[in-house]
Amino acid sequence: MTDGTNPPSSPQPQPAPGNGGYGFPPAPSAPGAGYGYPPGAPAQDGGGGFGPAPQQWAQGLPDMGAPVQPGAPGGPGFPGAPGPFAPAPDQPDWEAMADRSAAEKRKKRLWMIGGAVTVLALLAGGGTFLLMGGDDKGGNEAVDDKPSPTLSASPSPSGSKTKAPVDNTPTVKDDPTQIRDRSGKSPLKMGTDAGVFPIEKRFEIRTKGNENSYAESQKAVVDTGKSFTVSAHVWNRAPKGRQIAVSQGNEKSFSFELGLDQVNGKPTWVFRVQTGDQGAEATAVTVTGESPKMEKTFSTLTGTYDAERKQIALYVNGKKTGEAPVPGIFQAQGPLQLARSRHEDKWTAPWNGAMETVHTYGSALSPAQIDTFKPGRIDAKTKPTGSWLLY
């Protein structure tokens, strides 16, 4: 009951916890953050990680919807109290509040849209920044993971030097008629019926067994007054008569010769030296050796002269086959010869076949060193005085 005056206005209750308040039913919470972004930690205003939920753009205000009728449960002034109630003149202007709330919602929505665009721009810009290598450390590391196109993909260890490729060219540059000396300065000039031919990865000189099929140096290569070794990897078409692969002498006689001969009517490998200056057969000393097959197969022949012991020896395929004492060797200063020898002022014993890996050394190599000979190569510990047709 009243005294006839306007009833006193009742103070409005504080907003209810959660999304409800001011007598309105609680607004449903937003299902996520909206605008395609994943939900973040709940904001103070009830929104997702990138701002308030779409239903709560106005700070502290719910989605207004249609106003509750006076006297309805939860109505203004008496939340939850039934019965009619006439609003007092000083009650809030709900329509104005709804308009103001809508304006705030539009304002917040514009801010949210602007913020979302800004976040997208920053993310896109950050991705581009990373892709362009803007991070000094990470960018450089990504580039350094790939080798430079001018460098090897497998660089040499620190401090090591790259080895230059080995030149296996068998002949002298710009002159295919001269066999290149790989260890010294004594190329071998070939006759018109001799030639160098490639066989897979190696090279060999082929001779026809006639007077124009040979190769020779311009001067002496072996000092026959001192210890020496001569070796050749040889192949012959037929073991008939005398055929010399390597020799050295002068215009009158040989000093030494290495090759094939008939001894007691049987083909055998020979290393022969001349001890007299007249070149007679009586002053020549020969050591011999055999191998299971004497024709159409490669064999390595090696002859040595030990000047201190005054002894010569022959090795066939790395194994010693014979040795003999000598008083000394005739020191003829003529050129080194391939595929022929000098006897009594004439060229004799032409080689009919092929040969490769010809070596001369200024010492008498040991049996162990000779046993390790490999065609196409030289002993890295002992430098030859001359080497030809290596590969």
Side-chain angles (χ1 to χ4, degrees):
M1 299 297 293
T2 64
D3 59 0
T5 62
N6 289 333
S9 60
S10 300
Q12 296 299 311
Q14 293 299 318
N19 293 334
Y22 294 100
F24 293 95
S29 59
Y35 288 96
Y37 291 98
Q44 292 181 355
D45 52 4
F50 287 89
Q55 292 86 348
Q56 293 174 302
W57 302 114
Q59 178 71 28
L61 293 175
D63 188 346
M64 300 306 295
V68 178
Q69 294 298 324
F78 297 90
F85 175 77
D90 58 352
Q91 290 294 316
D93 188 345
W94 298 106
E95 291 184 3
M97 291 178 65
D99 293 339
R100 189 164 53 252
S101 175
E104 290 293 334
K105 287 167 62 177
R106 285 193 298 271
K107 184 176 180 181
K108 277 187 169 288
R109 181 175 297 176
L110 291 175
W111 277 105
M112 191 61 187
I113 292 173
V117 171
T118 302
V119 170
L120 286 173
L122 289 174
L123 290 174
T128 304
F129 182 73
L130 292 176
L131 290 175
M132 293 297 291
D135 184 353
D136 290 343
K137 183 178 180 180
N140 290 339
E141 287 179 351
V143 171
D144 291 342
D145 284 344
K146 296 181 179 180
S148 169
T150 61
L151 298 178
S152 170
S154 300
S156 300
S158 177
S160 65
K161 296 181 180 180
T162 303
K163 293 182 179 180
V166 177
D167 183 4
N168 292 325
T169 307
T171 55
V172 174
K173 184 178 180 181
D174 301 327
D175 189 355
T177 66
Q178 294 194 67
I179 305 174
R180 185 165 68 102
D181 183 358
R182 294 278 296 276
S183 300
K185 298 181 180 180
S186 299
L188 305 178
K189 180 72 173 179
M190 290 183 286
T192 56
D193 285 344
V196 170
F197 296 85
I199 303 295
E200 296 178 349
K201 295 182 179 181
R202 61 185 177 82
F203 302 92
E204 63 184 29
I205 179 175
R206 296 179 186 174
T207 54
K208 299 180 179 179
N210 61 42
E211 61 182 7
N212 294 319
S213 194
Y214 64 92
E216 68 177 354
S217 63
Q218 291 184 341
K219 59 183 181 180
V221 176
V222 177
D223 185 351
T224 57
K226 301 178 181 179
S227 298
F228 69 86
T229 299
V230 57
S231 180
H233 198 53
V234 302
W235 183 97
N236 70 297
R237 290 187 176 86
K240 297 179 179 179
R242 178 182 287 183
Q243 300 181 57
I244 298 302
V246 187
S247 69
Q248 183 175 291
N250 60 11
E251 71 284 352
K252 187 173 184 178
S253 177
F254 66 93
S255 288
F256 69 85
E257 56 183 16
L258 179 69
L260 181 70
D261 202 354
Q262 298 281 334
V263 177
N264 299 324
K266 184 179 180 180
T268 184
W269 304 116
V270 298
F271 178 52
R272 183 181 288 121
V273 299
Q274 180 55 257
T275 63
D277 59 0
Q278 299 301 311
E281 289 285 347
T283 54
V285 177
T286 304
V287 288
T288 64
E290 298 180 2
S291 59
K293 191 174 182 179
M294 304 285 293
E295 62 180 310
K296 295 182 180 179
T297 186
F298 270 98
S299 299
T300 301
L301 308 180
T302 304
T304 64
Y305 170 56
D306 187 333
E308 294 182 0
R309 297 175 58 216
K310 302 291 185 182
Q311 192 165 18
I312 61 172
L314 174 65
Y315 297 78
V316 178
N317 296 325
K319 306 302 179 183
K320 184 185 288 188
T321 60
E323 61 184 4
V326 293
I329 296 179
F330 172 46
Q331 298 183 34
Q333 299 301 314
L336 186 76
Q337 304 285 334
L338 297 188
R340 65 180 183 178
S341 184
R342 194 75 173 175
H343 282 258
E344 299 178 354
D345 304 332
K346 297 179 181 180
W347 292 115
T348 63
W351 182 267
N352 185 9
M355 68 184 80
E356 62 178 38
T357 315
V358 179
H359 297 151
T360 60
Y361 295 86
S363 63
L365 299 185
S366 68
Q369 290 174 307
I370 294 171
D371 190 44
T372 59
F373 272 174
K374 292 183 179 179
R377 293 167 174 78
I378 57 176
D379 185 356
K381 298 180 180 179
T382 306
K383 181 177 174 56
T385 55
S387 57
W388 303 265
L389 299 169
L390 302 183
Y391 54 90

